[in-house]
Amino acid sequence: MKTRTLALLIASAFAVTACGKESTTASAPQTQQKAAAEASAAELPVVDAIVTHAPNVPPPIDRKHAARVKVKIEVQEKVMRMADGVDYKFWTFGGQVPGQFIRVREGDIVEVEFANRSDSTVPHNIDFHAATGPGGGAEASFTAPGHVSTFSFKALQPGLYIYHCATAPVGMHIANGMYGLILVEPKEGLPKVDKEFYVVQGDFYTKGKYGEAGLQPFDMEKAIKEQPDYVVFNGSVGAIAGDNALKAEIGDKVRLYVGNGGPNLVSSFHVIGEIFDDVRVEGGDLINKNIQTTLVPAGGAAIVDFKIDVPGTYNLVDHSIFRAFNKGALGQIRVEGKENKEIFSGKITEGIYQGEGGTIQTAPLTASEAAQAAKPVVAANKEERIKLGEAVYKANCLACHGVEGKGVEGAFPPLAESDYLNADHKRGIRAVLKGLTGEITVNGKQYNSVMPALALNDEDTANVLTFVLNSFGNKGGEVKPADVAKER
Ligand SMILES: [Cu+2]
């Protein structure tokens, strides 16, 4: 039994900041054992993984033995369609959301070649929930733009598993679309079906509201509040609906490999007008039967099987239903074949449901309710400003710049003893307000990366910078809200 403890989660969440090399001293017998294990793994036949883009699934594995399976993954940061008229800069494994479906067999050694294109703006990595080991491979695969890393893991336990990027800020990488599924087929295989499809739900956070046209930047504030503008299957509104609907025929046994990349929402996965015959609950061994709606946790999966008896269009939804009709979580299976009036007599129309869009209807407040707005906390002096700023730092900066402000070489510059910041406080103000891109030199080392603009108000910006200036060996000083207002 593999226990994914909180400690592991934290280790993976801070993979970037905590990737110190562990030195282990192995005793002689251990070394021999290890050598023997490596020798047998090295003798395995080597095969290239057959991977597919969603909604396709690679064919079942007909091997009866373990293999060393090579998987190549290339990270691409790429502007693509989110909805009609709406674009988004996705961060992807392999150029699409979700990343490619990887199919291996229980006992295989999965050898991953992880490339991050040179036109990427930030480092990335990959955490396989199918792997047993620190961070699921996050530290082993941490890769700066223009580099490639390799590592391998043994697929010890069968099941359907999410993989995702775990580079800080982890939530942001996942929110940009960095997830996919790997199926570790049990040695005996899965029961045969007629059609298999690959569907992954994800929630997205944009500056503009649902449907607002143009290239929409990521909105960290909405992501933290868990208020997505889009909840979609396979990376965009309509990716598996309308002309892109999944297709099946009467009598088909259909299997959906359903994943949920999150980053935040739990999916109440449901197919309108169907009952799942078998659900492999959470992607594991437990089979539940005759299920209407199955929960798919963020960072989790489920395998659902059902036989289709009646023609027509079946809508896949997250049954947290505003997500389906107002945020995009709507897919379709179009089924052709002879009607069966005994099973279903009614009139069957196609494309029954239309997206209703994101128009918000307000329920009015009373005057006294409207007046109840919380008053913001304001620092009375420099000491208070430093104290309040520490909390702002922990919540907004720590993920990238680290607990001690030391950053990560090649990715996140240090705030500790930063000559760049100490030379001009306004640089810090502008970085927080507007974000920072392009080449900069901090303490003699070059950085060419992206810091996103943080949606902080003048008070919080002043507080956090005053905290930084008076911590981590910096030269002191105070930034006041008025200084921030001037730079806005
Ligand atoms: Cu990433």
Side-chain angles (χ1 to χ4, degrees):
M1 236 307 257
K2 179 173 59 176
T3 44
R4 296 202 155 265
T5 60
L6 184 64
L8 177 56
L9 253 171
I10 291 167
S12 118
F14 295 105
V16 184
T17 46
C19 61
K21 304 263 179 312
E22 271 177 44
S23 65
T24 43
T25 41
S27 66
Q30 272 177 338
T31 317
Q32 277 163 15
Q33 264 178 20
K34 208 177 145 221
E38 272 168 14
S40 68
E43 281 160 18
L44 290 177
V46 179
V47 297
D48 287 326
I50 302 170
V51 296
T52 55
H53 281 297
N56 300 317
V57 176
I61 290 173
D62 50 14
R63 269 187 286 119
K64 293 283 173 274
H65 54 83
R68 177 174 277 271
V69 183
K70 291 192 161 201
V71 179
K72 285 191 181 177
I73 295 171
E74 187 194 63
V75 174
Q76 294 178 31
E77 300 175 1
K78 201 172 163 191
V79 173
M80 295 190 288
R81 175 188 170 280
M82 170 75 78
D84 289 337
V86 185
D87 286 334
Y88 187 79
K89 173 117 182 242
F90 293 89
W91 292 353
T92 74
F93 293 118
Q96 286 190 24
V97 177
Q100 282 118 317
F101 194 104
I102 305 167
R103 190 164 190 156
V104 301
R105 182 175 179 273
E106 180 185 357
D108 284 350
I109 304 278
V110 184
E111 194 178 299
V112 182
E113 185 185 300
F114 188 79
N116 189 3
R117 280 164 64 113
S118 54
D119 57 5
S120 290
T121 55
V122 292
H124 297 284
N125 66 10
I126 191 162
D127 168 350
F128 280 99
H129 288 187
T132 305
E139 291 148 51
S141 61
F142 182 75
T143 306
H147 288 76
V148 54
S149 309
T150 57
F151 74 104
S152 70
F153 67 90
K154 185 164 184 175
L156 294 173
Q157 283 153 291
L160 182 63
Y161 299 94
I162 281 277
Y163 61 81
H164 65 86
C165 186
T167 304
V170 180
M172 181 170 155
H173 285 249
I174 296 177
N176 282 341
M178 300 196 78
Y179 42 74
L181 285 177
I182 176 168
L183 173 66
V184 180
E185 260 194 66
K187 284 183 175 150
E188 66 281 8
L190 290 172
K192 252 188 76 77
V193 290
D194 301 299
K195 302 256 158 62
E196 294 189 317
F197 298 108
Y198 172 27
V199 178
V200 180
Q201 181 171 324
D203 29 301
F204 288 88
Y205 304 81
T206 53
K207 279 275 176 312
K209 55 184 198 289
Y210 180 93
E212 204 168 302
L215 176 60
Q216 289 295 330
F218 168 66
D219 189 319
M220 186 81 166
E221 209 179 338
K222 288 181 183 172
I224 291 168
K225 288 185 181 151
E226 306 190 8
Q227 292 170 345
D229 301 280
Y230 296 87
V231 182
V232 298
F233 295 124
N234 291 355
S236 66
V237 177
I240 49 167
D243 290 345
N244 305 320
L246 309 177
K247 295 197 173 59
E249 278 147 50
I250 289 305
D252 275 352
K253 277 192 183 158
V254 174
R255 174 172 297 151
L256 304 179
Y257 295 97
V258 186
N260 185 2
N264 288 321
L265 302 185
V266 169
S267 175
S268 300
F269 186 75
H270 176 77
V271 176
I272 298 177
E274 261 304 335
I275 299 161
F276 304 142
D277 301 327
D278 290 325
V279 174
R280 282 181 165 69
V281 179
E282 292 162 14
D285 289 348
L286 181 67
I287 295 179
N288 203 357
K289 291 184 174 290
N290 305 329
I291 300 303
Q292 57 191 309
T293 300
T294 194
L295 279 177
V296 188
I303 304 175
V304 307
D305 290 6
F306 49 93
K307 182 166 166 277
I308 302 192
D309 302 299
V310 176
T313 299
Y314 293 82
N315 291 276
L316 282 56
V317 296
D318 179 338
H319 213 297
S320 292
I321 211 72
F322 274 103
R323 299 175 189 169
F325 298 124
N326 303 79
K327 296 185 172 183
L330 187 71
Q332 292 177 323
I333 305 179
R334 196 153 286 168
V335 180
E336 293 191 345
K338 251 186 79 189
E339 302 222 1
N340 184 333
K341 297 277 185 200
E342 190 192 328
I343 294 178
F344 190 76
S345 71
K347 176 175 141 192
I348 296 151
T349 53
E350 290 210 347
I352 325 165
Y353 291 106
Q354 292 292 320
E356 294 168 7
T359 311
I360 289 170
Q361 325 229 336
T362 48
L365 294 178
T366 65
S368 69
E369 283 167 344
Q372 280 174 12
K375 287 205 179 122
V377 182
V378 175
N381 53 44
K382 188 172 157 192
E383 291 317 305
E384 265 187 43
R385 200 175 291 297
I386 294 171
K387 213 162 150 249
L388 290 167
E390 183 174 4
V392 180
Y393 183 84
K394 284 187 178 149
N396 296 281
C397 323
L398 181 147
C400 295
H401 290 290
V403 187
E404 311 266 312
K406 293 209 176 81
V408 176
E409 211 180 306
F412 307 117
L415 300 182
E417 298 175 56
S418 162
D419 58 359
Y420 179 91
L421 174 63
N422 284 299
D424 181 1
H425 300 173
K426 285 191 195 129
R427 289 171 165 175
I429 300 175
R430 285 195 293 263
V432 175
L433 291 183
K434 297 176 180 161
L436 186 61
T437 57
E439 200 167 288
I440 56 166
T441 305
V442 184
N443 300 344
K445 298 216 167 84
Q446 284 189 345
Y447 295 85
N448 191 356
S449 193
V450 180
M451 168 166 155
L454 299 163
L456 296 180
N457 61 26
D458 292 356
E459 175 76 15
D460 285 348
T461 306
N463 295 353
V464 73
L465 287 166
T466 304
F467 164 74
V468 170
L469 289 171
N470 292 278
S471 313
F472 314 141
N474 285 323
K475 292 193 178 141
E478 182 174 4
V479 172
K480 299 219 166 114
D483 304 328
V484 179
K486 256 187 249 159
E487 296 299 320
R488 243 184 223 284

